[in-house]
C-alpha cells in the first residue's frame, strides 16, 4: 500500500486550507451556526462549485469527482481544522453512499447529480438516538432493534393502497435534519412477526413532516427533531432488490466504516489545530518575566499532546486507505481530540476557562462527537470483538 499523498491531493489540501483560512475563522463559525441553516450557505456553494467538495466520492457518471474515500478523508481533515459547519458529513459521508448502494437506477440518476453539485443536501434519520449502532460502530446492527424492532417506538412504515408508503414516528438528533432537502429515514415495516428495517426517502415539503432544530452542546453539528405524521415516502431501492434486512444493514455497516475513517481524519484536524493554537498562545503569554511555553512542565505537556495527535493522525491515514480499521482510528482520534482540547483550555489559563473562548469550540466538538459516534471504549470494544480478540480458543477434538 502506497500511503503517500499525490500532487493532486496536496493541491486540494492547500486550496481548501486557503479558502477556509479566509472564510472560516472562529468569529465566522460562531456567526454561521446561529443562522437558520446552521451554516454559511454562500461558503458551501463556493466549496461545491470550486472544489466539488460534496461530490468527491461520487462517481463521474453522476456528476461527481470520482475520487476514493481517502480524498474525502483528506478534505475533512481540513474542514475539521476550521470546525467548518456544513452539510458535508450528513450529505457526502452518510447519505450519498447509501443512495449509491441501495438506490434504484432512476433514484441514483435523479439524486446523485444535485447532491454532488451541492444544490441538494440530505440527512440520515435513525430512530432511538442510536446512530453509532445503526452504522455498526459500537455494536452489531443486525437485529435492527436500534430502529424499534417492530415494537412501539422508532418509525413505522405502512404500504398504502396506491403502492406508496406512509411513515409514522419521531426521530431526534438528526444531523442537519432541520435544513436538509432530502431525508433518508430508517423505518420498520411488516409488524413484529415479519419486521424488517428499510430506508425511505422523504422530501422537505412532504405533508405531515415537522422539523425543529434542537439545542446542542456543539453548535457546529446542528441537529433536529423529525416528526412523521402519516408522511408520504418513497422506498429507497426497488422492493425485493437490496431491500432485505441483510442488504440494508450491510449498506449501513459499509457506510459506517467509511464514515469512521472520515470522522477520524476530521477529529485529527481539529486536534492538530487546537494544539497549534495552544503552542502559539504559550509562546506569547508571559509569566514571571518569561514565556509560559519556556517552562519545562509546559513543554512536557505539549510534547505528550503532540504524540497523541501524531499517533491519531497515523491511524486516521491508515484507515483512509483501509476503512475496515475505521473504528479503531476513530476511537484514537476522538480520544486525542478530547485530551488535546481539555489541555488547551488549561494551558490558556484563566481566559481559557471562560465559556466564550475559542478553545471551547474544540472541547464541545470533542464531547459532541463522542456522544454521537462513541464512546471511545465502546468503539474499541466492538473493534476488538470483530477481530476476535476476546473469543475463547476452540478446543481440539480428538480424532
Amino acid at each position: 500500500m502506497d500511503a503517500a499523498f499525490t500532487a493532486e491531493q496536496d493541491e486540494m489540501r492547500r486550496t481548501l486550507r486557503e479558502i477556509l483560512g479566509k472564510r472560516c475563522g472562529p468569529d465566522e463559525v460562531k456567526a454561521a451556526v446561529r443562522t437558520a441553516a446552521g451554516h454559511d450557505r454562500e461558503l458551501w456553494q463556493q466549496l461545491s462549485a470550486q472544489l466539488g467538495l460534496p461530490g468527491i466520492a461520487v462517481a463521474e457518471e453522476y456528476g461527481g469527482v470520482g475520487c476514493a474515500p481517502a480524498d474525502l478523508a483528506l478534505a475533512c481533515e481540513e474542514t475539521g481544522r476550521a470546525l467548518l459547519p456544513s452539510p458535508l458529513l450528513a450529505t457526502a459521508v452518510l447519505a450519498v453512499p447509501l443512495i449509491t448502494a441501495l438506490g434504484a437506477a432512476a433514484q441514483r440518476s435523479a439524486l446523485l447529480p444535485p447532491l454532488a453539485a451541492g444544490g441538494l443536501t440530505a440527512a440520515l434519520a435513525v430512530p432511538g438516538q442510536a446512530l453509532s449502532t445503526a452504522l455498526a460502530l459500537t455494536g452489531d446492527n443486525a437485529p435492527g432493534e436500534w430502529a424499534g424492532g417492530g415494537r412501539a417506538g422508532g418509525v413505522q412504515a405502512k404500504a398504502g393502497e396506491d403502492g406508496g408508503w406512509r411513515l409514522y414516528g419521531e426521530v431526534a438528533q438528526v444531523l442537519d435534519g432541520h435544513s436538509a432537502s432530502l431525508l433518508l429515514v430508517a423505518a420498520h415495516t411488516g409488524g413484529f412477526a415479519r419486521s424488517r428495517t428499510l430506508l425511505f426517502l422523504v422530501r422537505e415539503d412532504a405533508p405531515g413532516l415537522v422539523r425543529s432544530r434542537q439545542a446542542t452542546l456543539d453548535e457546529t453539528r446542528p441537529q433536529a427533531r423529525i416528526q412523521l405524521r402519516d408522511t408520504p415516502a418513497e422506498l429507497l431501492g426497488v422492493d425485493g432488490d437490496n431491500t432485505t434486512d441483510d442488504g440494508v444493514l450491510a449498506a449501513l455497516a459499509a457506510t459506517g466504516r467509511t464514515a469512521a475513517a472520515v470522522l477520524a481524519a476530521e477529529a485529527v484536524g481539529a486536534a492538530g489545530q487546537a494544539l497549534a493554537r495552544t503552542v502559539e498562545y504559550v509562546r506569547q503569554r508571559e509569566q514571571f518575566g518569561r514565556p509560559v511555553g519556556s517552562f519545562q512542565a509546559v513543554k512536557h505537556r505539549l510534547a505528550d499532546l503532540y504524540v497523541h495527535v501524531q499517533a491519531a493522525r497515523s491511524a486516521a491515514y491508515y484507515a483512509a486507505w483501509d476503512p475496515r480499521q475505521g473504528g479503531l482510528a476513530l476511537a484514537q482520534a476522538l480520544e486525542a481530540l478530547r485530551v488535546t482540547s481539555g489541555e488547551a483550555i488549561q494551558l490558556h489559563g484563566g481566559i481559557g476557562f471562560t465559556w466564550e473562548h475559542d478553545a471551547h469550540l474544540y472541547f464541545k466538538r470533542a464531547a459532541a462527537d463522542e456522544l454521537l459516534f462513541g464512546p471511545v471504549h465502546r468503539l474499541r470494544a466492538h473493534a476488538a470483538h470483530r477481530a476476535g480478540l476476546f473469543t475463547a480458543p476452540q478446543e481440539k477434538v480428538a480424532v
Side-chain angles (χ1 to χ4, degrees), residues 45-367:
Q45 292 302 322
Q46 180 183 359
L47 295 175
S48 301
Q50 291 187 11
L51 299 179
L53 200 60
I56 285 180
V58 177
E60 293 184 27
E61 62 179 303
Y62 297 114
V65 182
C67 295
D71 297 88
L72 184 59
L74 187 65
C76 285
E77 183 182 358
E78 293 305 314
T79 63
R81 289 181 74 254
L83 296 180
L84 172 70
S86 76
L88 182 63
L89 175 60
T91 299
V93 180
L94 298 179
V96 164
L98 291 171
I99 295 173
T100 302
L102 299 175
Q107 291 172 330
R108 294 196 298 270
S109 298
L111 297 176
L112 289 179
L115 286 170
L120 182 70
T121 58
L124 174 63
V126 174
Q129 302 177 0
L131 181 60
S132 61
T133 303
L135 297 175
L137 295 176
T138 57
D140 188 2
N141 71 354
E145 293 184 1
W146 48 268
R151 300 176 175 85
V155 177
Q156 306 299 321
K158 181 180 179 181
E161 296 179 355
D162 58 353
W165 292 84
R166 297 278 175 168
L167 301 185
Y168 310 81
E170 182 178 294
V171 187
Q173 294 182 327
V174 180
L175 286 172
D176 291 303
H178 67 293
S179 62
S181 307
L182 179 70
L183 296 176
L184 273 68
V185 182
H188 263 281
T189 184
F192 177 70
R194 294 179 295 174
S195 172
R196 56 178 176 156
T197 302
L198 302 177
L199 288 177
F200 295 88
L201 303 172
V202 178
R203 302 286 180 171
E204 61 179 336
D205 57 351
L209 173 63
V210 180
R211 306 191 289 181
S212 57
R213 186 170 176 179
Q214 295 178 291
T216 58
L217 174 64
D218 179 16
E219 292 181 306
T220 66
R221 291 270 199 238
Q223 300 174 31
R225 182 182 302 276
I226 307 298
Q227 293 178 319
L228 301 155
R229 305 170 180 174
D230 192 23
T231 304
E234 177 186 352
L235 178 66
L236 181 61
V238 179
D239 200 2
D241 182 16
N242 288 336
T243 56
T244 62
D245 249 351
D246 291 342
V248 172
L249 298 178
L252 283 167
T255 300
R257 288 191 291 271
T258 302
V262 171
L263 284 164
E266 186 186 66
V268 164
Q273 182 66 2
L275 177 58
R277 291 171 64 92
T278 304
V279 170
E280 183 65 24
Y281 178 80
V282 298
R283 282 176 174 172
Q284 299 176 359
R285 172 66 174 170
E286 291 190 357
Q287 191 75 346
F288 305 111
R290 55 189 290 194
V292 172
S294 66
F295 292 100
Q296 189 175 42
V298 174
K299 290 181 179 180
H300 287 175
R301 292 171 71 175
L302 291 172
D304 288 342
L305 294 179
Y306 179 80
V307 172
H308 267 291
V309 173
Q310 290 302 105
R313 179 172 283 115
S314 296
Y317 286 170
Y318 185 85
W321 274 270
D322 183 7
R324 292 173 299 176
Q325 311 304 322
L328 281 175
L330 179 58
Q332 189 158 355
L334 290 180
E335 184 176 46
L337 178 56
R338 169 164 46 83
V339 172
T340 303
S341 59
E343 285 287 294
I345 290 175
Q346 293 195 23
L347 290 171
H348 273 79
I351 188 65
F353 280 86
T354 58
W355 192 245
E356 295 80 8
H357 193 271
D358 296 342
H360 284 265
L361 292 173
Y362 297 92
F363 183 79
K364 293 173 186 177
R365 170 61 67 87

Side-chain angles (χ1 to χ4, degrees), residues 354-397:
T354 58
W355 192 245
E356 295 80 8
H357 193 271
D358 296 342
H360 284 265
L361 292 173
Y362 297 92
F363 183 79
K364 293 173 186 177
R365 170 61 67 87
D369 274 9
E370 194 164 352
L371 288 172
L372 279 171
F373 306 107
V376 166
H377 70 273
R378 290 190 61 191
L379 286 167
R380 286 187 172 134
H382 185 57
H385 174 73
R386 290 175 55 192
L389 297 182
F390 301 142
T391 303
Q394 296 181 355
E395 297 181 1
K396 295 181 179 180
V397 180

